[in-house]
Amino acid sequence: MNFASDTTAPVHPKILSALAKANDGYSASYGEDEWSRAARDALAGVFETDLDVWLVASGTASNALALSVLCPPTGAIACHREAHIERDERGAPEFFTGGGKLALLDGDHGRIDFGALERAVVANNPDFVHETPLHALSLSNLTECGTAYSAEDLRARAALAHAHGLRVHLDGARFANAVASLGASPADLSWRAGVDVLSFGASKNGAIGCEAIVLFGEAREAFAGLKVRAKRAGHMPAKLRFTAAQMCAYLEDGLWLELAGVANKAAAKLAASLEQACGAELAHPLDGNQLFVSLPQPVQQRLSEAGARFYPWLDGSCRFVCSWSTTDEDIHSLAEIARKS
Amino acid sequence: MNFASDTTAPVHPKILSALAKANDGYSASYGEDEWSRAARDALAGVFETDLDVWLVASGTASNALALSVLCPPTGAIACHREAHIERDERGAPEFFTGGGKLALLDGDHGRIDFGALERAVVANNPDFVHETPLHALSLSNLTECGTAYSAEDLRARAALAHAHGLRVHLDGARFANAVASLGASPADLSWRAGVDVLSFGASKNGAIGCEAIVLFGEAREAFAGLKVRAKRAGHMPAKLRFTAAQMCAYLEDGLWLELAGVANKAAAKLAASLEQACGAELAHPLDGNQLFVSLPQPVQQRLSEAGARFYPWLDGSCRFVCSWSTTDEDIHSLAEIARKS
Amino acid sequence: MNFASDTTAPVHPKILSALAKANDGYSASYGEDEWSRAARDALAGVFETDLDVWLVASGTASNALALSVLCPPTGAIACHREAHIERDERGAPEFFTGGGKLALLDGDHGRIDFGALERAVVANNPDFVHETPLHALSLSNLTECGTAYSAEDLRARAALAHAHGLRVHLDGARFANAVASLGASPADLSWRAGVDVLSFGASKNGAIGCEAIVLFGEAREAFAGLKVRAKRAGHMPAKLRFTAAQMCAYLEDGLWLELAGVANKAAAKLAASLEQACGAELAHPLDGNQLFVSLPQPVQQRLSEAGARFYPWLDGSCRFVCSWSTTDEDIHSLAEIARKS
Amino acid sequence: MNFASDTTAPVHPKILSALAKANDGYSASYGEDEWSRAARDALAGVFETDLDVWLVASGTASNALALSVLCPPTGAIACHREAHIERDERGAPEFFTGGGKLALLDGDHGRIDFGALERAVVANNPDFVHETPLHALSLSNLTECGTAYSAEDLRARAALAHAHGLRVHLDGARFANAVASLGASPADLSWRAGVDVLSFGASKNGAIGCEAIVLFGEAREAFAGLKVRAKRAGHMPAKLRFTAAQMCAYLEDGLWLELAGVANKAAAKLAASLEQACGAELAHPLDGNQLFVSLPQPVQQRLSEAGARFYPWLDGSCRFVCSWSTTDEDIHSLAEIARKS
């Protein structure tokens, strides 16, 4: 009954066995290998466009490196007040940008309110030397509250940002879950919606440690600079073929969407089970694999005592995260314990 | 015939299969797992002392994080003019320290000359506000020229550094090769010689991507700060168990020394073969798995055309690196081509 | 009728003539001169305690250097959402701290709400590696809204901060105006209230460019580090005697409080005049020399057309700043134009 | 007998009195005033070309800000091993560039050897991700050894740098002394020789604290960014008119060259006097106002005991610096004491 995070789950066997396949004799270092090329090609296929990509092993590295090519030390990045880059990355964006700022925006359920964004970009004045101007907008899909932006939601916010000279980053640590949930194409939820740089995650969905920083369109001009920053930050390990092999296996035959679909369905089932078991209500709409529910204190305690793992959230709710490996038994056991009051 | 680097070699099967073993159900994230504890314990055993350790996936990250806890933004790190941290890490020490400097020292064959170090530390004046004072000494064993410092060499330099208030870092990307070559104990070549922080590498000796930042003695007080810096730099991926599992397998039953011994012996054999084949002379003493030889231009060209991979070095010599997977056939083939003139 | 800022006013003649007195032959550089010593002694007298001080030429340098010794790159500084360090210093705190963050707190009229601060420090968890913990609280007196914290207000907030391990900075760009307004002693409004480091300004109150970073109590241990940071940031010009001479003249015979009193009285008179002339209401309580009033658009336009200088503020009000050189004529003329509707 | 530095000398009366003239009522802040415009125009006249300029109060700020617009965090700046930016600015270039490196070049008498520069730029490979490439060359005129580069010397080095994609900075803390010594025009010793950004000093030649960062030609595109960096580093004090007024007075009627000429002549006279008094030999050619002579230890001691101020230099010589205020009496007295052996 481990619902603490999708990162506590085991790695999918297909991804693990891809490493053994990649361990085939000598290979060029630092991303010049054939698996790295194959990963890029596979991503280009999935996103239906040419693109550049750099692979790293952690979501924080992926986000911070991505932001560092979008925002100078003297600029700011607009994001949601509860965004992962603000709350959970220990100042990585500030470190990688060389002292850039995050400008926090409000919005329900982890989604940046359109009006709040509008006020921020309209007030933005890059020519006023005293204030730190916005250079980028960072969105997350799924959000930290487990909710999704639709393609239209993204398009509207990205268009607003672009119209005011900002570039757009998408934290897609759970992009697979968003795609599986929304049924829109990866392209529609990224570059066609105006995303310039996407942090495309695999680690929360069955990989060991594999996150792709994907550059689309004009942002591809930043690719050489991105590699330099990756090198300088220690994110250019020699044997990148083993990271690339994970991405190849992740994308092959739609494994990534299959796994995300499993996780999303498990979350929906868990929501229904908890509602039925103890009347638990959703604190945020359920759009993917993260469930936020209000649980009576005695239920929380009983679950904890039974060894269930989940997180008390800042808003008073409890977060349960499902993954590709969540089983019906896990869900059933949890609900049974929740019920016994 | 790939002698380009020990990082182009495949991963050792025992290390690869350790990942599958670690993929055993759910596990805590961010280094709180049992494999991380086991890796620490194994290192403590190998080094015969209690210690703290953080695991990262690249040598650059290992060195730069280690240095960042030894030197403030306003200080400098003394190192050899040809040290990896100076020449091959794209300013990572400067980035991670927040703008610290490297102070370059001379010395034959990649080893810092004792007199040069003495002059530097004697001239050091931390109270003079205008100049950047030395805070740390960084040594490499093996050096970039493939040579080794003996335990006594290390002890003398570390004692000098400590006497002037500096702390000591050892870049041990090829520490295994140094231990295998010198026959001294890991403890004698590290903390007993005065090393405060060791970057202990496995990636060049059979691992996928696994480098341990090892804190000894008083330097262990910096451990909490080291973890914060690792997090902030994106070097705290969730599923650290898979990095830790590599280290466990690497140390188990002395695999690390066995592999280093194989690589060292291959280099010795290669040196003898090339000497015999074309009279190639060593440009630097051969103390491990890196061979620097002077080769006539026609020989170089013939080797390249035959598909042999090696590096022309700055000093005019050619670098050949052997690894655990270098075969007698590789060596024989290379020598045969070198001979045909 | 220049009410744009107290920095647009001329320099007080006594301060200007102090430069000529300091221009007396040769003198040691970099703050080792007798005027620097005299400035320190004068500040110690005014604040009734021993202290350390470094003089810089701008408020941004003063605040950012002060904060850089209170907060590491991996930490955060709590301040008001509208604080000068957040809104008007182009990321200087982030630059000088090496990537630290500002955590923004709410509160009416530019004053940090006690409850908001309490929630922030109670939630602070320095041991949680993923979040950026608070290391310092930065207050401003006067605030950006022209309001004052009483000694008791400061004491309560500083005590709360200290109880949770934070240190306390006070942006005193208009400290003189606060002292003149509140009638409390400089000591009561600084170290006795729990302020560890004070940015004590003179530039807005008659000096050319002179701001003292004053370290009290245990914070004095950071003095050597502060000088290093000042040097490294270009804030250790050779001829510091001319900055120190300004501070000496500023403090001599209470000139600083005399000038602040004049400015405060002018603001009070202006408020009354505008109220009487056009019914202008205060947007924020008037505690010093900065006046925020709601003015009908036609009045604003008439004033601008007549050459009056003032700032439209973010909250819709208009900011008028008085200085030591504001005259009754200025005020009278302004009110007359405001009246003519 | 204060020959410690030209910064220990008093300020020239004409420059001091310019401050009083500038203290004429209200004025715009942050460099938008008429004196700032006049300073720019005066510099354009002296340099016979249009240009952009930002004024700061210290040489370290001038150099570091200049370099920060020429070199990214991931790049390096080539300079002489004994350059002020390397030895005397406490890592300011590293701080302002965000972690850029200095690459040290050799050369006699403080001048970068042409061959050394050639080897460095020829080896430079901006496309190789692992090494830090050179982005800028920083020359000093006068050098730290008191020697001058001729216009031709500068031209040759700048052309070499430009041919390899570097931009050229000139540390002109003693540019006036170089111009006065060489008899070449300011233009010939700066932009016409290929200098992109000049740190043009006045503080060592009679000003209080005034250094101009002058952008020529294409480098002017960096002006907006330079101002942002100045602001963020606390080098945009409100009352810039008082810095600008110094520059105006400094340039008016050739005061700057007159003062530099006086200082240079004093140095020449001092050299002759010491040679005649005690056979003191020059350690470096005397091209300006800095004299490096070998003095017997007893002479050094006698001078020190008599209260003479000078610096023992790293190379074993003694440095004496003359300024606009050095008198014949100072020189005569010094020589007399040196003679008495």
Side-chain angles (χ1 to χ4, degrees):
Chain A
M1 294 185 299
N2 193 312
F3 297 93
S5 175
D6 28 18
T7 60
T8 59
V11 167
H12 192 273
K14 286 190 183 171
I15 293 175
L16 203 52
S17 64
L19 266 64
K21 277 181 230 154
N23 197 30
D24 178 26
Y26 291 82
S27 167
S29 301
Y30 306 118
E32 301 295 319
D33 60 276
E34 62 183 284
W35 292 271
S36 291
R37 276 188 295 276
R40 197 192 73 89
D41 292 348
L43 282 163
V46 164
F47 284 94
E48 305 171 54
T49 185
D50 209 0
L51 47 76
D52 283 303
V53 61
W54 189 253
L55 297 174
V56 294
S58 82
T60 295
S62 174
N63 283 333
L65 280 168
L67 294 170
S68 74
V69 298
L70 297 180
C71 181
T74 54
I77 299 151
C79 66
H80 193 277
R81 184 173 307 288
E82 295 174 21
H84 202 265
I85 60 170
E86 162 65 12
R87 296 198 53 89
D88 299 285
E89 301 189 349
R90 193 55 183 255
E94 289 84 353
F95 179 44
F96 281 73
T97 58
K101 290 171 83 86
L102 300 187
L104 307 183
L105 301 177
D106 289 307
D108 292 342
H109 304 307
R111 286 183 288 232
I112 294 175
D113 181 70
F114 186 84
L117 176 60
E118 194 167 35
R119 284 187 296 278
V121 295
V122 165
N124 200 37
N125 181 1
D127 295 330
F128 186 58
V129 76
H130 303 277
E131 270 184 49
T132 305
L134 298 175
H135 280 254
L137 167 65
S138 180
L139 299 162
S140 305
N141 211 16
L142 304 180
T143 72
E144 286 299 296
C145 293
T147 54
Y149 288 102
S150 70
E152 179 49 35
D153 288 339
L154 295 172
R155 224 171 6 240
R157 284 159 182 77
L160 187 56
H162 285 153
H164 288 84
L166 282 66
R167 285 186 290 173
V168 178
H169 167 251
L170 184 69
D171 178 352
R174 293 187 180 94
F175 189 77
N177 302 90
V179 172
S181 169
L182 293 163
S185 76
D188 282 347
L189 290 172
S190 59
W191 63 275
R192 278 203 204 110
V195 172
D196 297 298
V197 181
L198 167 67
S199 293
F200 176 75
S203 310
K204 290 182 192 296
N205 193 28
I208 298 170
C210 182
E211 307 278 316
I213 307 168
V214 184
L215 309 184
F216 297 113
E218 288 183 16
R220 296 179 65 191
E221 291 167 17
F223 187 54
L226 175 66
K227 283 198 288 187
V228 167
R229 288 172 177 277
K231 167 69 197 180
R232 174 174 161 86
H235 290 293
M236 189 182 275
K239 301 182 186 175
L240 266 174
R241 57 170 147 163
F242 297 101
T243 313
Q246 294 176 55
M247 183 55 70
C248 292
Y250 184 64
L251 298 179
E252 195 175 339
D253 297 331
L255 178 64
W256 68 296
L257 287 176
E258 179 191 326
L259 299 183
V262 169
N264 287 0
K265 266 177 214 143
K269 186 163 188 177
L270 179 58
S273 301
L274 285 175
E275 201 280 333
Q276 201 258 344
C278 63
E281 288 183 12
L282 290 177
H284 301 296
L286 173 60
D287 289 342
N289 65 321
Q290 289 172 285
L291 187 69
F292 295 82
V293 288
S294 303
L295 286 184
Q297 190 58 43
V299 177
Q300 290 185 39
Q301 196 176 333
R302 212 160 53 234
L303 289 172
S304 292
E305 283 167 8
R309 305 293 294 276
F310 58 94
Y311 264 108
W313 211 242
L314 294 162
D315 57 11
S317 68
C318 295
R319 187 188 78 163
F320 295 80
V321 189
C322 294
S323 75
W324 70 272
S325 70
T326 304
T327 62
D328 282 356
E329 287 67 34
D330 290 334
I331 293 168
H332 182 72
S333 303
L334 193 85
E336 284 310 295
I337 297 160
R339 190 188 313 274
K340 290 181 209 150
S341 46
Chain B
M1 294 186 299
N2 193 314
F3 297 92
S5 174
D6 28 18
T7 58
T8 59
V11 167
H12 191 272
K14 285 189 184 171
I15 294 175
L16 203 52
S17 64
L19 266 64
K21 278 181 229 153
N23 197 30
D24 179 26
Y26 290 81
S27 168
S29 301
Y30 308 117
E32 301 295 320
D33 59 278
E34 62 183 284
W35 291 272
S36 290
R37 276 189 294 277
R40 198 193 71 89
D41 292 348
L43 283 163
V46 163
F47 283 94
E48 305 172 54
T49 186
D50 209 0
L51 46 76
D52 283 303
V53 62
W54 190 253
L55 298 174
V56 293
S58 82
T60 295
S62 174
N63 284 332
L65 281 168
L67 294 170
S68 74
V69 298
L70 298 179
C71 181
T74 55
I77 299 150
C79 66
H80 193 277
R81 183 173 307 288
E82 295 174 22
H84 202 264
I85 60 171
E86 162 65 12
R87 296 198 54 89
D88 299 285
E89 301 189 350
R90 192 55 184 256
E94 289 84 352
F95 179 44
F96 281 73
T97 59
K101 289 172 82 87
L102 299 187
L104 307 184
L105 300 177
D106 288 309
D108 292 342
H109 302 308
R111 284 183 290 232
I112 293 175
D113 181 69
F114 185 85
L117 176 60
E118 195 167 35
R119 286 187 295 278
V121 295
V122 166
N124 200 37
N125 182 1
D127 295 330
F128 186 58
V129 75
H130 304 278
E131 270 183 48
T132 305
L134 298 175
H135 281 254
L137 167 66
S138 181
L139 299 161
S140 305
N141 210 16
L142 303 181
T143 72
E144 286 299 296
C145 294
T147 54
Y149 289 102
S150 70
E152 180 49 37
D153 288 340
L154 295 172
R155 222 170 9 239
R157 284 160 183 76
L160 188 56
H162 286 152
H164 287 84
L166 282 66
R167 285 187 289 175
V168 179
H169 167 251
L170 185 69
D171 177 352
R174 293 187 180 95
F175 188 77
N177 303 90
V179 173
S181 169
L182 293 164
S185 76
D188 282 345
L189 290 172
S190 58
W191 62 274
R192 279 202 203 110
V195 172
D196 298 297
V197 181
L198 167 67
S199 294
F200 176 75
S203 310
K204 291 183 193 295
N205 192 28
I208 298 170
C210 181
E211 308 278 315
I213 306 168
V214 184
L215 309 185
F216 298 113
E218 288 184 16
R220 297 178 64 192
E221 290 167 18
F223 187 54
L226 175 65
K227 283 198 289 187
V228 166
R229 287 172 177 277
K231 168 68 197 179
R232 173 174 161 86
H235 290 291
M236 188 181 276
K239 302 182 185 175
L240 266 173
R241 57 169 147 166
F242 296 101
T243 312
Q246 295 177 55
M247 183 55 70
C248 293
Y250 184 63
L251 297 179
E252 194 175 340
D253 297 332
L255 178 65
W256 67 297
L257 287 176
E258 179 192 325
L259 300 185
V262 169
N264 288 359
K265 266 176 215 143
K269 186 162 187 178
L270 179 58
S273 300
L274 285 176
E275 200 281 332
Q276 201 256 344
C278 62
E281 288 182 13
L282 290 176
H284 302 297
L286 174 59
D287 289 342
N289 64 323
Q290 288 172 286
L291 186 69
F292 294 82
V293 289
S294 303
L295 286 183
Q297 192 58 42
V299 177
Q300 289 185 40
Q301 196 176 335
R302 212 159 54 232
L303 290 172
S304 291
E305 285 167 6
R309 306 293 295 274
F310 58 95
Y311 264 109
W313 211 242
L314 293 162
D315 56 11
S317 68
C318 295
R319 188 187 78 162
F320 295 81
V321 190
C322 295
S323 75
W324 70 272
S325 70
T326 303
T327 62
D328 283 355
E329 287 69 33
D330 291 335
I331 294 168
H332 182 72
S333 304
L334 193 85
E336 284 310 294
I337 296 161
R339 190 188 312 275
K340 290 181 208 149
S341 47
Chain C
M1 293 186 301
N2 192 313
F3 296 93
S5 174
D6 27 18
T7 59
T8 58
V11 168
H12 191 273
K14 285 189 183 171
I15 293 174
L16 203 51
S17 65
L19 267 64
K21 277 181 229 152
N23 196 30
D24 179 25
Y26 291 82
S27 168
S29 300
Y30 308 117
E32 301 296 319
D33 59 277
E34 61 182 286
W35 292 271
S36 290
R37 276 187 295 277
R40 197 193 72 89
D41 293 347
L43 282 162
V46 163
F47 284 93
E48 305 172 55
T49 187
D50 209 0
L51 47 76
D52 284 303
V53 61
W54 189 253
L55 298 174
V56 293
S58 81
T60 295
S62 174
N63 284 333
L65 280 167
L67 293 170
S68 74
V69 299
L70 296 179
C71 181
T74 55
I77 299 151
C79 67
H80 193 276
R81 185 173 307 287
E82 295 174 21
H84 202 265
I85 59 170
E86 162 66 11
R87 296 198 54 89
D88 299 285
E89 300 190 350
R90 193 53 183 256
E94 288 84 353
F95 179 45
F96 281 73
T97 58
K101 290 170 82 88
L102 299 186
L104 307 184
L105 300 177
D106 289 307
D108 292 343
H109 304 307
R111 285 182 291 232
I112 293 175
D113 181 69
F114 185 84
L117 176 60
E118 196 167 34
R119 283 186 297 277
V121 295
V122 165
N124 201 36
N125 181 1
D127 295 330
F128 186 58
V129 75
H130 303 277
E131 271 184 48
T132 305
L134 297 175
H135 280 255
L137 167 66
S138 180
L139 299 161
S140 304
N141 211 15
L142 302 181
T143 71
E144 286 299 296
C145 294
T147 55
Y149 288 101
S150 70
E152 180 48 36
D153 289 338
L154 294 172
R155 218 164 19 234
R157 283 159 183 76
L160 187 56
H162 285 153
H164 287 83
L166 282 67
R167 285 186 291 174
V168 178
H169 167 252
L170 185 69
D171 177 352
R174 293 187 181 95
F175 189 77
N177 303 90
V179 173
S181 168
L182 293 163
S185 75
D188 282 346
L189 290 171
S190 58
W191 63 274
R192 279 203 205 110
V195 172
D196 298 296
V197 181
L198 168 66
S199 293
F200 176 74
S203 310
K204 291 182 192 297
N205 193 28
I208 297 169
C210 181
E211 308 278 316
I213 306 167
V214 184
L215 308 184
F216 298 112
E218 289 183 16
R220 295 179 65 192
E221 291 167 17
F223 187 54
L226 175 66
K227 283 198 289 187
V228 167
R229 288 172 177 277
K231 167 68 197 180
R232 173 173 161 87
H235 290 292
M236 190 182 274
K239 301 182 185 175
L240 266 173
R241 56 170 148 166
F242 297 102
T243 312
Q246 294 177 55
M247 184 54 70
C248 293
Y250 184 64
L251 297 179
E252 195 175 340
D253 297 333
L255 177 65
W256 67 298
L257 287 176
E258 180 191 325
L259 300 184
V262 168
N264 288 0
K265 266 178 215 141
K269 187 162 187 178
L270 179 58
S273 299
L274 285 176
E275 199 281 332
Q276 201 257 344
C278 62
E281 287 182 13
L282 289 176
H284 302 296
L286 173 60
D287 289 343
N289 65 322
Q290 289 172 285
L291 187 68
F292 294 82
V293 289
S294 302
L295 286 184
Q297 191 58 42
V299 176
Q300 289 185 40
Q301 195 176 335
R302 213 157 56 231
L303 290 172
S304 292
E305 285 167 6
R309 305 292 295 274
F310 58 94
Y311 263 108
W313 212 242
L314 292 163
D315 57 10
S317 69
C318 295
R319 187 187 80 162
F320 295 80
V321 189
C322 294
S323 75
W324 71 271
S325 71
T326 303
T327 63
D328 283 357
E329 287 69 33
D330 290 334
I331 294 168
H332 183 72
S333 303
L334 192 86
E336 284 310 295
I337 296 161
R339 190 188 312 276
K340 290 182 209 151
S341 49
Chain D
M1 294 186 299
N2 193 313
F3 298 92
S5 175
D6 29 16
T7 59
T8 58
V11 167
H12 192 273
K14 285 189 184 172
I15 293 174
L16 203 53
S17 65
L19 266 64
K21 277 181 229 153
N23 197 31
D24 179 25
Y26 291 82
S27 168
S29 300
Y30 307 117
E32 302 295 320
D33 60 276
E34 62 183 285
W35 292 271
S36 291
R37 276 187 294 276
R40 198 193 72 89
D41 292 347
L43 282 162
V46 163
F47 284 94
E48 306 171 55
T49 186
D50 209 359
L51 47 75
D52 283 303
V53 61
W54 188 254
L55 298 173
V56 293
S58 82
T60 295
S62 174
N63 284 332
L65 281 168
L67 293 169
S68 74
V69 298
L70 297 180
C71 181
T74 55
I77 299 151
C79 66
H80 193 275
R81 184 172 307 286
E82 295 173 21
H84 202 264
I85 59 171
E86 162 65 13
R87 295 198 55 90
D88 299 285
E89 301 189 349
R90 193 53 184 257
E94 288 84 353
F95 180 44
F96 281 74
T97 58
K101 290 171 83 85
L102 299 187
L104 307 183
L105 300 178
D106 289 308
D108 291 342
H109 303 308
R111 286 183 288 232
I112 294 175
D113 180 71
F114 186 84
L117 177 60
E118 196 167 34
R119 284 187 296 279
V121 295
V122 165
N124 201 37
N125 181 1
D127 294 331
F128 186 58
V129 75
H130 303 277
E131 271 184 48
T132 305
L134 298 175
H135 280 255
L137 166 67
S138 180
L139 299 161
S140 304
N141 211 14
L142 302 181
T143 72
E144 286 299 295
C145 293
T147 54
Y149 289 102
S150 69
E152 179 48 35
D153 288 339
L154 294 172
R155 217 162 22 232
R157 284 159 181 78
L160 188 56
H162 285 152
H164 288 82
L166 282 67
R167 285 186 290 174
V168 179
H169 167 251
L170 185 68
D171 177 352
R174 294 187 180 96
F175 188 77
N177 302 91
V179 173
S181 168
L182 293 164
S185 75
D188 282 346
L189 290 171
S190 58
W191 62 275
R192 277 202 205 111
V195 172
D196 297 298
V197 181
L198 168 67
S199 293
F200 177 74
S203 309
K204 291 182 193 295
N205 193 28
I208 297 170
C210 181
E211 308 278 315
I213 307 167
V214 184
L215 309 184
F216 297 113
E218 287 183 17
R220 297 178 65 192
E221 290 168 16
F223 187 53
L226 175 66
K227 283 198 289 186
V228 167
R229 288 172 176 277
K231 167 68 197 180
R232 174 172 160 88
H235 290 292
M236 190 182 273
K239 301 181 185 175
L240 266 174
R241 57 168 147 167
F242 296 102
T243 312
Q246 294 177 55
M247 184 53 71
C248 292
Y250 184 64
L251 297 180
E252 194 175 341
D253 298 331
L255 177 65
W256 68 297
L257 286 176
E258 180 192 324
L259 299 184
V262 169
N264 287 0
K265 267 178 212 139
K269 187 163 187 178
L270 179 58
S273 300
L274 284 175
E275 199 280 332
Q276 200 256 345
C278 62
E281 287 182 15
L282 290 176
H284 301 297
L286 175 59
D287 289 342
N289 65 323
Q290 289 172 287
L291 188 68
F292 295 81
V293 288
S294 304
L295 285 184
Q297 191 58 42
V299 177
Q300 289 185 39
Q301 196 176 335
R302 213 159 54 232
L303 290 172
S304 291
E305 284 167 8
R309 305 292 295 274
F310 58 95
Y311 264 109
W313 212 241
L314 293 163
D315 57 11
S317 69
C318 295
R319 188 188 79 162
F320 295 81
V321 189
C322 294
S323 75
W324 71 271
S325 71
T326 304
T327 62
D328 283 355
E329 287 69 33
D330 290 335
I331 294 168
H332 182 72
S333 304
L334 193 87
E336 283 310 295
I337 296 160
R339 189 186 314 272
K340 289 180 210 152
S341 48

